[in-house]
Amino acid sequence: MTDYPLLPTPKPERGKRPRSGWGGGKIVTPSRVRQGQRIGAKFQRLGDAFDNDRDPVSLRHDPLGIAPERAIVFEIAGSIRDFSVAVGRIKGLELLCDEELFLYPDGDFGVLETRAGREPRIRHDKRIAGRLYMAMPNVEALRQLLSLWCKYQAGKSAPLGFKTWFDVFDHLYDLRAWGPTDRVPDNTIAYLKEALASAQADALIRVEVELWYLGTTEMRDAGKTRFRRAMESAGGIIVDQSEIEAIGYLAFLIDLPVEEVQNLIDRDEVNIVVCDDVMLIHPQSTVDVPIEAEPLDDTLPVPTRAVEPLSPIAAIFDAMPVQNHDLLSSRLLLDDPDDYDTMSVVAERRHGTEMASLILHGDRNGDEEPLSRPIYFRPVMYAPGSPQNEQPAPDRLLLDVIYCAVLRMKIGDDEGEPTAPDVFIVNISLGDRNRPFSGTMSPWGRLLDYLAERFGLLFLVSAGNIKTPLRVAKFSGVTDFEAATPEDREAAILSALVEQRAVRTLLSPAEALNVVTVGAWHEDNSPETGGSPLISSPYANAPGPNISSATGLGYHRVVKPDIFMPGGREKVRVDSSGSALGLGIVYPGRRFGLRCAIPDPAGDIRKEGFITGTSAATALATRSSHQIFDALSDPDNGNLFDGIDPAFYAVIVKALLVHRAKWGDLGEALDQTLLPQGSDGTYAVRRDSIAGLLGYGRPLTREAVTCTSNRATMIGYGEIFADGSSALYRIPLPPSLNSTKELRHLTISLAWFSPINIRHQAY
């Protein structure tokens, strides 16, 4: 038994949850008369159809008009509490989803600013936080919605139970149909233009299409039928499809002829673009893999620690590895139902080999012991061979592959029993390069959130790597950059990273909330060696994020990435000049980075190389999670997991993984560099600016699982239900501190897995 074991908290009491306030900044809205002038015409067209006894379905001939069985969008300035309840008051109106958005102020809407000692003023220069609600009406729902609008315009009181709808009309910024611009966003247009530029005249171009997930099986089946009919008219081919009720996901992988692709680019009113059942068209999900590592000439001893005959608790979903590499042999439990082994060129099996090595052994220059248990490895990508990189199966929806892989692992499938039921840590060092985070929770993010809560899984997800040069406005050219001090370079680089967060954002599914998202820290154990004077470190003293590591914040502006782990020291060099100097990444080569197993074209199963990036950092976070479990279940450390339901393992490890994360000196440097005290920046703005770049910081996981003579770590767990209850923990003060007056420090880290509600703004 160690002298200072980890401590369990006393069992909690059940209590009543305290009520919190609700609200936000006061939104100034137009009068009812003005709202009639702004939006009345859109309701008038509905009224004309009903008054003239026309079939309202005839409105569907206008692809932009409000019509039955067509998604309509309510853009709201501010937020309407219990909007979902209000929708439920109108029979035949189905809430599809809602999302956060920011609206530009105008003469009608603004934010009322009140400060002590100042007269209240309306800010027409400040964007308005709002909501975008989407709902699908039938004929009767439109009739009732029109009736409520007419009463609102007449100055009458709201009917009993419908007051919220009058609040909606007060705050209604815009009312419109979900149209071609929504279905084919700008990033899809850019992808299609690039694909079309290199396509032959008779080529087919592959895209993913998501349909609205309607409330009943009958409605969804009817929508799928209409979509298939539109596909036939367009000359398209359905390659794959998936429906996952728990996350409201209904999608098709399709091939389209080049003529139809051009129509999509032009957003012409053609079959697929105007098909009301289509929610979104976007590029096929795919994954970027790092640059190939250069093999090192030297070799390090292979660890002799044997693998214990225990079931795996950690899994890797990645590309097919070199399973007989000396560092991986007998340490992987490979489950390959798709037969990616026979489809993959051994010499090209890079990413999975590297991730498995880092999880099992860590950075090999750190001289660490390998993990004692085997790792469950499920290939979800394969290596077809040059000139193609490792990639997911081109004829499958990647999200569906991940979903089926988790179900097979935890509950089994048609082939038999679950393949690794004890796994609760899952490494996903993958990011969809075609779906950068833009404020909306992606289907892949929803999937991981759902699976994490359903099965008690801790997903470790890479933030993503941004390969484009970082534009640093402070320097106009190489001479300026080289003449600057290391401290000035660091300040300029940090400022540039914060300023360009919107274009260097997370890659899906890194925005998921139940997962731990991992960024890459400028750190490794490789020895300092000489190199070209044209390359340099981005940091003067204490390290920070690699400049290629994608930045946050995440969904609903939560802190993302959650943590940063060593991702190898990425040096920088001047990549381009102009109005602003561009800094590019210097890839590891043979001088720096994280040392791990790599494949070898000559078949050498002992080859190693250096890699960098968020994938590698995520692998080390997975390793740390495994080591936390090992420490908590160690009999010599008190075995805190003894008697605990395994359903709580993942959330306990999640809390401890982040618990000792710190910004360090870099947080203060950022605060002073970006928004010094006394500026217009509020505390919340400064905090979000720093957290968007540093997350919660770089964790010291070994400290989290060890106590000292003056530091104790206590661990508790439990459930909070949706019935308004709470869990009240009473922590006794140690007798040795009971009668002394001295400074004490208490840090509480709360981690959770929450069910998701895909149709509610709280998610």
Side-chain angles (χ1 to χ4, degrees), residues 28 109-113 120-125:
V28 178
F109 292 91
V111 177
L112 183 64
E113 182 180 79
R121 62 170 179 159
I122 300 175
R123 295 283 300 272
H124 288 296
D125 60 338

Side-chain angles (χ1 to χ4, degrees), residues 394-409:
D395 58 350
R396 291 287 308 279
L397 288 161
L398 182 55
L399 181 149
D400 195 62
V401 172
I402 299 293
Y403 178 58
C404 293
V406 172
L407 295 186
R408 176 182 173 89
M409 180 179 73

Side-chain angles (χ1 to χ4, degrees), residues 6-7 9 516 562-565 624-625 628 632 651-663 696-707 711-716 745-751:
L6 297 169
L7 305 173
T9 61
V516 171
D562 298 89
I563 60 172
F564 284 80
M565 293 293 285
S624 291
S625 300
I628 289 171
L632 293 180
V651 76
I652 292 173
V653 171
K654 181 182 182 182
L656 283 169
L657 180 63
V658 183
H659 179 60
R660 296 294 290 170
K662 296 180 178 181
W663 288 346
Y696 290 110
R698 164 73 164 95
L700 305 173
T701 51
R702 288 185 180 177
E703 285 191 12
V705 293
T706 56
C707 301
R711 187 185 72 239
T713 300
M714 304 186 75
I715 299 170
H745 186 78
L746 178 66
T747 301
I748 300 175
S749 297
L750 176 66

